Amino acid sequence: MVTAFESLSENTGYIAALIFSSYIFYHLIYQPLLATPLRRIPGPKAFAATKWRLALADYHGVRTQCINSIHQRYGTVARIGTKEVSFSSLSALRTIYGAGSGFERTDFYRMFDVYGRQNLFSFAGTKQHAERKKLLAHAYSKSVVLSPNAIAKPLIEKNVKSYLDLLEGEKDVAEGIFQSLHWFSLDSITGFLYGDQHGGTHALRGNDLDRRMLSDIIDPSRRKLSWYAVHLKKYTKWLYTRTGAMEKAITKLGLLPMQKPATYTGIRAYALQSWTGFETAATEKDSEQDLAIIDKLWRHSKSGKGIRLDGLDMASELADHLLAGIDTTSDTLMFAIWALSRPENKIYQEILIKELDTILNTDCNQDGNPLAEVADRLPYLDAVLKETLRLYAPLPASEPRSMSVDTTIDGYLIPAGTVVSMSPYTLHRNPDVFSEPLKFNPERWLGHCADLAEMKKWFWAFSSGGRMCIGLHLAMAEMTTLLAAIYRKYTTSGYEKQKGVSPGITSRFEVFYDETFPRFELRYAEPLRQTWVEKLEQPKQILEQLSLAAYLIELWRGMYGAIPKAEQENLQPKSNGPFPGFVSLACGSGILVYVLLMEGYKGSGFDARRRKTWETYPVNVQNCLEERIYIPRPFLDAIDSQDFEAKIHTGDFPADTFIVSDHTDELTVWTPLMAALASPSSPLPFFIIPCCSCSLSGARYRFPPKTGETSTKAERHVEQNPQPASGDLRSLRATKNEQRTDRGFGNSMVGSLTAKTRDIAEEVGFEVEETCLKTPGAISRALIGRKQQATNLAETSPSQTSVLADQIAQIIERECIRDGGVQAAAKIWIEQAEDLHRQQRE
Ligand code: HEM
């Protein structure tokens, strides 16, 4: 007989399943999809069912583009969350963001509180916000910003001069415009907020501490932290407020989305320090005229009139303006210069220069640069900036708002507490308003047609209504004055190093690029950065490896007609023969192997040491990465190395394998030999980027510059030390510059190594191509061996093959003389390999 207890326990599983499915049904289906009035709003069901769907897009850094695509599919009103709706119409813009609309900023903005205090940016309520704004609005008005008697105009003109001085004196430094423009905006906003004495920075004039403040902004993991701060707010706060052993444990477990100090810590600390310094020394100034914002807030607090502000309130307000005023202005300037420098936009630059040429000397200051108020009145410059802000708005993402009562927007009932938003990104890409929206075209802002009036209504880079950007006029004055001065004296053109690459700007969790550029970097760089586990200088290495992957893909497209996977859907590959596969020697972190495999190229890589990064790749990639030490077969034959414990590779690659030898040190000179040894009658194609110079034994060795004669006697006299004996920075830079010339390169250590490798490759039958490769981190020479010399192309008989093998052996013998012969060289190689293996095990 079945007892009641047994029956209950048999049914427990069913009951639990029923409760669970009821819960799922209620929360994921009934409530969000059937019960709420928002159910009538179109949009993808997955987004309507759970807020985590949009959070996922945030995590992948594609939120804004994703919402934009949803609008393209569903129209001007789209539901993007259980309680979140996005709009893209002018009527909604007026309803939500118009003056006195009653919509308030959401909780999202509380992440901009500083020192635990709210400020203009983070206040939700209109009353608190209006009171604070009243204190500041006048100082930020256009008439005050451009007044010769107030602080902004002389400060901006002084900083413009410092920028041009930098351009004159340290062209190399200034040309890194991402950085130098950040210095300009930093010096401008700090001077404006704190005055020269109490926090105005001098990054443009070389102050290293001021410059270093920007490392806060550059760290890519700040995006991950933003995601955590928005979607896992309490948890993130908990993580960052732990101390002692708990803090250590959290750090060790890698739980922090961004290592401490987290984003903006340095800038916030600087802002607080500036405030404290000011407060201690504060004396009321007699004149109202040259007051920085800090003076104004101080005077107000002392007056006892109106709203009360304590020290931290003021410090928070100032710090927030400081943070708001750096990236925004410099990113816009960077995109303006970049866009004007593109060959297809040269015409716009020429027209701008013509406009600037009309400025009279009497309209310039004593430094010879256009006055701020004159730069402000230039229609073409204004059009260039408007177009830059349209296409590359520095704050392009949605601006969330909500209301405490039910309301109606564009005919839809919006319940109280629903988050509603719009984004400059989507408004600025409406093809009905902006023809060819992805094209940079300043001309669209000129003329007086009805279209222009319409476009102005849709232009939303600075937001609108009561919560419009307070720094608008300051930012515009900085940007117009600097651009006018630069283009009055200079022209700009696409920097070779950045050819084919769009700059990117970070906004919250996203990075924005020019969308007409390939997504290659975007697809890999960010995921790699996010999961990076090595201690190396990663951003540079990642970009370099991505550039190299892009280069190889193009090379193989030409050689084999092999195209990346993503293109295969649209294109039929040319039939130059199938791709034979690649091997990446000494592949290090394996980025190249990972990217090429993901792009659909078969291949593998090996390195003497397994890297932690390998474990972050998908399993199929991990399976193609091996820990192996290369020992050339002739060395194995020459010496008894039976006891060698590590896994070795003897270079027996399958026929036609493409060898990639990127910065492989002792494998560099071996690469063409490897190619020939693997297949004497038809050596394998290769790509080499030479770097550290070693002889065939693997010992450090500097080959003599190629002077025509290759006497080993002459080689012995050559200095063994590859680095300059003594070198201050200036002489190092001079050496580097010299190396960029053909002659200088030929005389350098790496130049001599390149020449030696090339000679050997030619001896084994290659027609070697030499190319200059410009990756984001370096300029390198690369050798490509894809064609064989005519004599080698003829059908090779078995007897000829053995002749070729003999020739290779002779080359190896000859090259090993400097190490004491093949046996001695082999001994050195094996000893080094054993050392390496021992180190790995320790
Ligand atoms: C090209 C430059 C700039 C752009 C495109 C820009 C854009 C914006 C946008 C779109 C908002 C509204 C954000 C939102 O509601 O989510 C905003 C607000 C704000 N911006 Fe800017 N900004 C720029 C420069 C500056 C500068 C130089 C400052 C320096 C003080 C500044 C200070 C602020 C502040 C304090 C707010 C909050 C205003 C309020 O709520 O009343 N911005 N900005």
Side-chain angles (χ1 to χ4, degrees):
M1 225 176 95
V2 180
T3 64
F5 180 75
E6 279 167 334
S7 153
L8 185 67
S9 71
E10 255 177 30
N11 290 329
T12 310
Y14 293 113
I15 295 168
L18 191 70
I19 294 173
F20 181 68
S21 25
S22 310
Y23 179 87
I24 295 287
F25 175 78
Y26 183 80
H27 286 285
L28 289 184
I29 300 172
Y30 177 72
Q31 186 64 17
L33 302 179
L34 305 173
T36 167
L38 295 177
R39 68 184 183 277
R40 296 197 181 86
I41 298 178
K45 291 284 173 276
F47 283 73
T50 165
K51 66 172 190 161
W52 293 106
R53 180 59 193 87
L54 187 59
L56 184 68
D58 291 354
Y59 190 79
H60 290 303
V62 293
R63 174 194 178 90
T64 305
Q65 281 163 333
C66 177
I67 298 175
N68 190 47
S69 324
I70 292 176
H71 276 299
Q72 282 169 351
R73 188 153 167 226
Y74 293 93
T76 58
V77 187
R79 191 162 168 212
I80 54 169
T82 44
K83 289 183 181 167
E84 196 161 351
V85 183
S86 175
F87 293 85
S88 67
S89 67
L90 266 192
S91 47
L93 189 74
R94 280 186 213 110
T95 313
I96 305 168
Y97 300 93
S101 74
F103 278 90
E104 299 188 338
R105 285 209 169 132
T106 60
D107 252 13
F108 163 81
Y109 289 88
R110 294 302 300 271
M111 74 172 179
F112 299 102
D113 286 358
V114 190
Y115 320 126
R117 295 298 170 94
Q118 283 185 265
N119 48 55
L120 197 65
F121 202 76
S122 68
F123 281 132
T126 37
K127 186 168 174 287
Q128 265 176 316
H129 172 261
E131 283 172 349
R132 184 67 63 90
K133 194 164 179 181
K134 222 164 112 188
L135 291 182
L136 297 157
H138 178 68
Y140 278 98
S141 66
K142 187 167 179 174
S143 57
V144 173
V145 165
L146 292 179
S147 159
N149 302 319
I151 195 166
K153 176 190 136 77
L155 171 76
I156 292 171
E157 289 180 10
K158 188 186 82 186
N159 288 339
V160 165
K161 177 175 183 320
S162 301
Y163 193 87
L164 292 200
D165 287 348
L166 191 74
L167 209 49
E168 292 286 327
E170 288 180 84
K171 192 161 166 278
D172 273 7
V173 180
E175 272 181 354
I177 56 171
F178 176 83
Q179 189 166 261
S180 60
L181 292 170
H182 268 77
W183 296 340
F184 172 75
S185 62
L186 178 72
D187 287 353
S188 302
I189 190 68
T190 51
F192 181 71
L193 295 172
Y194 300 102
D196 202 36
Q197 281 181 12
H198 296 291
T201 55
H202 300 107
L204 279 173
R205 282 183 269 158
N207 185 312
D208 206 36
L209 272 180
D210 294 345
R211 287 180 176 186
R212 263 189 269 154
M213 230 195 293
L214 294 173
S215 51
D216 256 14
I217 288 171
I218 291 159
D219 193 324
S221 51
R222 75 186 243 208
R223 292 177 33 227
K224 197 169 169 190
L225 177 60
S226 294
W227 189 90
Y228 272 73
V230 170
H231 296 292
L232 301 171
K233 204 167 149 190
K234 285 189 183 148
Y235 171 65
T236 311
K237 193 169 175 196
W238 180 84
L239 279 180
Y240 281 91
T241 45
R242 294 312 86 198
T243 50
M246 189 61 133
E247 184 187 15
K248 275 192 196 137
I250 284 171
T251 314
K252 206 155 185 204
L253 287 169
L255 296 181
L256 293 178
M258 181 182 188
Q259 288 300 320
K260 286 182 183 177
T263 326
Y264 297 143
T265 308
I267 296 180
R268 283 176 176 163
Y270 180 83
L272 191 58
Q273 181 195 322
S274 305
W275 164 257
T276 324
F278 171 86
E279 202 181 22
T280 321
T283 51
E284 296 208 4
K285 294 192 182 177
D286 296 335
S287 156
E288 274 279 348
Q289 289 179 333
D290 64 344
L291 292 186
I293 300 293
I294 200 167
D295 294 293
K296 294 187 194 234
L297 288 177
W298 173 259
R299 278 179 175 238
H300 169 80
S301 81
K302 289 282 135 198
S303 74
K305 293 182 202 151
I307 54 154
R308 295 178 68 82
L309 294 182
D310 69 12
L312 270 189
D313 285 329
M314 290 184 262
S316 165
E317 192 62 58
L318 291 158
D320 183 63
H321 293 214
L322 170 55
L323 295 167
I326 306 175
D327 279 345
T328 43
T329 318
S330 55
D331 287 345
T332 310
L333 278 166
M334 175 182 71
F335 263 113
I337 295 174
W338 177 78
L340 288 170
S341 308
R342 293 181 66 188
E344 57 272 45
N345 297 335
K346 202 171 157 221
I347 177 76
Y348 306 134
Q349 188 182 144
E350 283 167 5
I351 304 174
L352 174 64
I353 290 173
K354 268 194 199 141
E355 178 177 75
L356 296 168
D357 284 345
T358 62
I359 298 177
L360 304 172
N361 285 342
T362 46
D363 282 337
C364 292
N365 56 25
Q366 72 272 22
D367 306 317
N369 298 320
L371 292 162
E373 62 274 27
V374 172
D376 173 64
R377 292 194 300 263
L378 299 169
Y380 205 82
L381 180 55
D382 183 61
V384 165
L385 271 172
K386 269 218 179 72
E387 185 63 350
T388 309
L389 285 162
R390 180 189 72 79
L391 200 49
Y392 312 112
L395 298 181
S398 47
E399 296 171 18
R401 303 285 189 266
S402 72
M403 208 178 214
S404 53
V405 291
D406 290 358
T407 186
T408 304
I409 308 174
D410 280 1
Y412 287 100
L413 173 67
I414 305 292
T418 305
V419 175
V420 292
S421 64
M422 297 182 78
S423 77
Y425 184 92
T426 295
L427 290 179
H428 291 177
R429 277 161 184 72
N430 183 342
D432 298 333
V433 182
F434 303 100
S435 62
E436 294 188 84
L438 296 186
K439 191 176 176 331
F440 177 82
N441 176 15
E443 307 267 317
R444 71 171 89 234
W445 295 102
L446 300 161
H448 305 280
C449 48
D451 287 357
L452 180 64
E454 187 66 8
M455 282 194 301
K456 282 184 178 167
K457 289 183 198 156
W458 287 78
F459 179 77
W460 205 52
F462 292 101
S463 194
S464 51
R467 305 305 294 253
M468 189 176 185
C469 175
I470 199 170
L472 155 73
H473 300 299
L474 178 71
M476 285 306 285
E478 285 178 43
M479 298 190 291
T480 48
T481 316
L482 183 67
L483 288 179
I486 291 178
Y487 285 100
R488 200 150 183 271
K489 291 197 176 138
Y490 297 94
T491 57
T492 59
S493 57
Y495 198 36
E496 266 300 304
K497 235 176 167 180
Q498 270 126 32
K499 209 169 169 186
V501 180
S502 157
I505 54 164
T506 303
S507 175
R508 298 176 199 162
F509 351 91
E510 300 172 84
V511 179
F512 292 86
Y513 295 84
D514 182 300
E515 294 128 273
T516 58
F517 275 71
R519 312 259 88 199
F520 193 60
E521 193 187 312
L522 190 62
R523 206 172 326 142
Y524 297 107
E526 277 317 304
L528 277 167
R529 278 184 189 135
Q530 302 283 354
T531 54
W532 193 256
V533 283
E534 305 287 340
K535 286 195 181 123
L536 292 171
E537 203 190 340
Q538 48 96 351
K540 198 169 120 191
Q541 201 194 29
I542 291 172
L543 286 184
E544 255 180 60
Q545 295 286 292
L546 290 182
S547 312
L548 195 56
Y551 184 90
L552 287 172
I553 288 174
E554 289 314 305
L555 182 71
W556 294 339
R557 191 194 295 272
M559 282 176 73
Y560 307 105
I563 55 172
K565 207 159 52 182
E567 284 179 37
Q568 284 172 18
E569 287 160 16
N570 310 323
L571 280 173
Q572 285 302 312
K574 279 193 282 163
S575 53
N576 286 14
F579 179 66
F582 70 89
V583 60
S584 173
L585 311 178
C587 63
S589 56
I591 298 175
L592 197 62
V593 177
Y594 160 65
V595 174
L596 291 171
L597 290 177
M598 298 303 283
E599 288 296 309
Y601 297 87
K602 64 176 178 183
S604 61
F606 68 89
D607 198 286
R609 186 165 61 84
R610 165 173 289 279
R611 301 297 205 283
K612 282 193 223 148
T613 340
W614 295 5
E615 281 154 36
T616 64
Y617 301 140
V619 180
N620 64 319
V621 177
Q622 288 187 36
N623 292 341
C624 297
L625 290 164
E626 276 193 295
E627 186 181 80
R628 275 178 190 267
I629 295 186
Y630 174 68
I631 301 192
R633 184 156 293 287
F635 282 0
L636 272 183
D637 295 344
I639 205 164
D640 179 21
S641 58
Q642 298 292 329
D643 305 336
F644 196 66
E645 282 177 3
K647 271 188 163 181
I648 59 168
H649 204 304
T650 50
D652 302 320
F653 308 116
D656 300 325
T657 301
F658 190 101
I659 304 179
V660 181
S661 175
D662 165 34
H663 289 78
T664 56
D665 301 355
E666 70 278 13
L667 304 191
T668 307
V669 196
W670 269 106
T671 306
L673 292 168
M674 242 186 248
L677 284 165
S679 170
S681 57
S682 169
L684 310 181
F686 64 75
F687 173 88
I688 304 174
I689 299 186
C691 66
C692 295
S693 189
C694 300
S695 67
L696 278 204
S697 70
R700 281 288 162 106
Y701 180 77
R702 180 174 179 153
F703 292 96
K706 203 176 169 196
T707 53
E709 33 102 39
T710 47
S711 133
T712 31
K713 199 172 163 206
E715 290 177 17
R716 269 183 236 125
H717 292 290
V718 175
E719 192 198 344
Q720 299 285 315
N721 184 2
Q723 296 294 337
S726 72
D728 56 311
L729 273 180
R730 196 183 292 246
S731 74
L732 263 175
R733 201 174 298 148
T735 316
K736 279 204 160 167
N737 285 341
E738 166 71 3
Q739 282 179 13
R740 284 187 189 139
T741 64
D742 275 344
R743 220 198 65 215
F745 179 73
N747 286 331
S748 70
M749 178 204 59
V750 68
S752 310
L753 171 69
T754 308
K756 174 53 106 186
T757 312
R758 181 184 185 129
D759 283 350
I760 292 180
E762 282 171 355
E763 278 189 81
V764 296
F766 282 103
E767 229 181 87
V768 183
E769 297 154 59
E770 196 168 323
T771 182
C772 193
L773 210 70
K774 291 174 180 117
T775 55
I779 304 179
S780 341
R781 302 279 176 126
L783 298 174
I784 304 166
R786 56 175 147 169
K787 289 190 214 132
Q788 285 150 44
Q789 290 158 6
T791 46
N792 263 48
L793 288 177
E795 280 285 300
T796 335
S797 66
S799 63
Q800 282 168 313
T801 305
S802 87
V803 173
L804 287 170
D806 283 351
Q807 276 176 8
I808 299 165
Q810 280 169 23
I811 298 170
I812 294 171
E813 262 171 47
R814 187 196 69 216
E815 291 298 322
C816 285
I817 290 176
R818 67 174 68 85
D819 295 301
V822 174
Q823 260 207 330
K827 217 169 146 229
I828 300 173
W829 187 281
I830 305 271
E831 273 168 16
Q832 283 190 357
E834 278 169 347
D835 271 357
L836 202 66
H837 184 57
R838 213 172 300 121
Q839 280 165 24
Q840 274 163 226
R841 299 287 149 244
E842 282 164 11

